[in-house]
Amino acid sequence: MKSFDVVVIGAGPAGYIAAIRAAQLGLSTACVEKWQDAAGEYRLGGTCLNVGCIPSKALLESSENYERVQHHFKAHGITATGVKLDLKAMLARKDRIVDKMTTGISGLFRKNKVTWLKGQGTLVSGGTTWKVRAGEETVEAKNVVIATGSKPRQLPGVTIDNRLVCDNEGALAFDAVPERLGVIGAGVIGLELGSVWRRLGAKVRILEALPTFLPSADESVAKEAWSIFTRSGLDIELGVAIKEISQSKKSVKIQYTASDNSSKTFECDRLIVSIGRVPNTEGLGAENVGLRLDPKGFIEVDKNCRTALPGIYAIGDVVRGPMLAHKGEDEGVMVAEIIAGQHGHINYDAIPWVVYTAPELAWVGKTEQQLKAEGVAYRSGRFPFVYNGRALSREEPEGFVKILADAATDRVLGVHIIGSIASELIAEAVSAIEFGAASEDIARICHAHPSMSEVMKEAALAVDKRPLNG
């Protein structure tokens, strides 16, 4: 029987990063992964790289370019005629990117001497060491890191066939642009996938059960996003209750109760169900070793991702906290370093959120509504992109940066952005919160001119009511 210092179950972003870091620290490491593509080939990268973050961003970029050439290039003095959509080529590009990324991880495993065990990873038994079944073989581990990720939440009574009724995986591989697209769920996945197919020509209606739009975001950002998204063509209804979903050979009919209690029916050519994700512990064998799950199915861990069982850790989507790939990656590094006897650490208050729509949304730290609920005295500074020369030159003047700082200490408590490349701009805010910076620190840092990042500086200046360019 093969024996390892560390066996990681799951090779998504959390798992493969944990495995690589453990190997870098001199620990003999194996990683178990069961993911197979349509051809039956085993693949690393989990949901994120295969049917999640990476392919969706590829299609978002392609669809945004398609919309730019159709509607936005004219402002630059560029007139394009005969523009055609080649969906097959677009999807092939997406698949090439996925292949490059997943193949790259196998190369990293070889470089760092991580053993890849192919098949389902299952906890078999424990004691002083742990036995893990990996496909057809069983291995022994001093430490086990569970990184089995998440899977789409199912809508009761609705069968996902990934032909007419799809989850995120099916929605990334339509064989044609639907004339009418329904989306259930106005969260990150629903908005991103809805945006892709709207830009490519679909009429999109998004149905959301919650009465508020993007409740996790700062209210001012959510309000601005609602205005921009609905103006651009996304038909979003809040506070709905799905009553029945039925299929014919070529369409899907959704019957629902609207927020005003009226009954409505919507018929579409394709339906995407994106009502969140749930932890994936199926086949893990938690019951074999007494591993505790909470009522929602998450593995119970402490602040350092330790379970109650010695030598077993869990990270990523399968534990508490936001289901974000980068959060899982940082947990993977932390756990590997703790196993190696170092002092791994994560600041959960400095994890950024991003919605890759157009414009993008990004935030880190506390929202204004959270600070009010907690009774924290704060000051706010906000600056729009419409006054920024780089934003105007890019024809992307929508949105703003908003900084929330402690009223007494000026320490940055939260930063919220809606605008072009918000996903890149948020990194400065993450650094500020991580290192305990004040808004004045951001205001005093020299930002390149002209650049989108100048809006971050102006928002920091606005906290003290002294913006220079607006």
Side-chain angles (χ1 to χ4, degrees):
M1 183 184 297
K2 295 177 183 176
S3 182
F4 298 91
D5 293 322
V6 180
V7 170
V8 181
I9 303 177
Y16 84 74
I17 288 294
I20 289 171
R21 184 63 183 133
Q24 288 176 343
L25 292 167
L27 301 168
S28 60
T29 306
C31 187
V32 190
E33 178 54 63
K34 68 175 183 178
W35 187 281
Q36 290 176 282
D37 61 20
E41 295 290 327
Y42 282 97
R43 291 281 185 172
L44 298 168
T47 295
C48 178
L49 269 68
N50 287 281
V51 293
C53 312
I54 301 305
S56 65
K57 302 313 167 284
L59 288 184
L60 280 160
E61 189 69 24
S62 294
S63 64
E64 194 168 339
N65 283 333
Y66 183 65
E67 186 169 62
R68 284 191 186 110
V69 74
Q70 284 190 308
H71 303 294
H72 303 312
F73 277 11
K74 191 176 292 185
H76 293 273
I78 302 170
T79 300
T81 58
V83 177
K84 295 181 180 179
L85 171 65
D86 187 341
L87 182 59
K88 186 176 180 180
M90 187 179 290
L91 295 175
R93 171 185 176 271
K94 176 257 298 181
D95 292 340
R96 286 195 302 273
I97 293 170
V98 168
D99 184 66
K100 184 173 183 178
M101 294 293 292
T102 56
T103 302
I105 299 172
S106 61
L108 290 171
F109 273 16
R110 289 192 297 272
K111 175 183 176 182
N112 290 281
K113 297 181 174 58
V114 175
T115 300
W116 178 9
L117 303 174
K118 299 174 182 179
Q120 169 73 48
T122 303
L123 296 165
V124 176
S125 63
T128 54
T129 60
W130 300 95
K131 288 184 174 59
V132 179
R133 187 166 59 250
E136 298 300 319
E137 68 175 310
T138 299
V139 298
E140 190 175 46
K142 295 177 183 176
N143 300 276
V144 176
V145 181
I146 301 168
T148 48
S150 61
K151 57 187 177 183
R153 185 187 302 277
Q154 299 297 306
L155 191 62
V158 177
T159 300
I160 301 295
D161 60 13
N162 277 334
R163 189 182 66 87
L164 293 182
V165 180
C166 305
D167 56 18
N168 61 288
E169 183 173 355
L172 293 168
F174 289 169
D175 55 3
V177 178
E179 182 179 339
R180 302 162 300 172
L181 174 65
V183 181
I184 298 179
V188 175
I189 295 173
L191 289 172
E192 290 183 354
L193 293 175
S195 295
V196 165
W197 296 106
R198 180 201 63 76
R199 293 171 192 157
L200 299 181
K203 294 180 180 178
V204 180
R205 180 178 295 185
I206 301 177
L207 305 176
E208 169 60 51
L210 293 175
T212 54
F213 182 61
L214 289 175
S216 297
D218 189 88
E219 286 178 348
S220 61
V221 168
K223 182 179 179 180
E224 183 79 357
W226 173 273
S227 175
I228 294 171
F229 295 162
T230 54
R231 195 168 63 242
S232 70
L234 286 179
D235 178 7
I236 308 172
E237 289 192 49
L238 304 176
V240 310
I242 304 298
K243 293 167 62 179
E244 184 180 358
I245 295 175
S246 56
Q247 288 182 242
S248 65
K249 289 184 177 181
K250 294 185 178 180
S251 66
V252 184
K253 184 180 292 184
I254 306 104
Q255 293 176 289
Y256 63 97
T257 303
S259 57
D260 61 0
N261 288 322
S262 64
S263 294
K264 291 187 176 182
T265 299
F266 172 58
E267 190 169 1
C268 55
D269 305 296
R270 295 282 180 95
L271 176 66
I272 301 172
V273 177
S274 58
I275 56 172
R277 300 183 66 82
V278 295
N280 184 20
T281 55
E282 185 179 355
L284 178 61
E287 66 282 358
N288 295 337
V289 296
L291 181 65
R292 286 206 304 262
L293 308 180
D294 72 12
K296 293 184 178 180
F298 292 97
I299 296 174
E300 294 184 353
V301 293
D302 66 11
K303 65 178 182 179
N304 294 126
C305 293
R306 294 185 180 95
T307 72
L309 301 176
I312 294 189
Y313 302 77
I315 58 176
D317 286 5
V318 81
V319 302
R320 79 288 179 270
M323 288 184 172
L324 300 170
H326 44 280
K327 172 255 194 186
E329 290 179 338
D330 280 6
E331 287 176 334
V333 170
M334 174 182 71
V335 164
E337 292 177 348
I338 289 172
I339 291 172
Q342 299 184 4
H343 298 284
H345 169 73
I346 292 178
N347 179 3
Y348 285 99
D349 292 328
I351 294 176
W353 294 67
V354 180
V355 185
Y356 293 89
T357 46
E360 294 180 344
L361 285 64
W363 65 90
V364 63
K366 299 287 188 178
T367 64
E368 192 161 0
Q369 57 264 34
Q370 285 176 320
L371 294 177
K372 288 178 179 178
E374 295 169 9
V376 177
Y378 65 92
R379 295 186 300 161
S380 175
R382 173 170 160 170
F383 198 83
F385 284 101
V386 73
Y387 297 146
N388 177 264
R390 186 70 188 280
L392 292 174
S393 69
R394 292 165 58 97
E395 283 292 319
E396 294 173 328
E398 295 175 311
F400 56 83
V401 175
K402 176 179 176 180
I403 296 178
L404 304 171
D406 188 279
T409 66
D410 193 38
R411 183 171 180 168
V412 177
L413 302 175
V415 178
H416 307 273
I417 309 173
I418 176 169
S420 177
I421 64 170
S423 57
E424 306 297 334
L425 296 175
I426 199 65
E428 180 178 2
V430 174
S431 295
I433 288 180
E434 182 65 41
F435 291 104
S439 71
E440 184 69 14
D441 293 323
I442 298 175
R444 292 288 178 180
I445 294 171
C446 186
H447 290 67
H449 174 78
S451 70
M452 303 286 280
S453 69
E454 289 177 287
V455 179
M456 183 76 74
K457 175 172 183 166
E458 292 286 352
L461 289 166
V463 171
D464 195 43
K465 296 181 172 56
R466 64 178 208 273
L468 297 171
N469 286 284

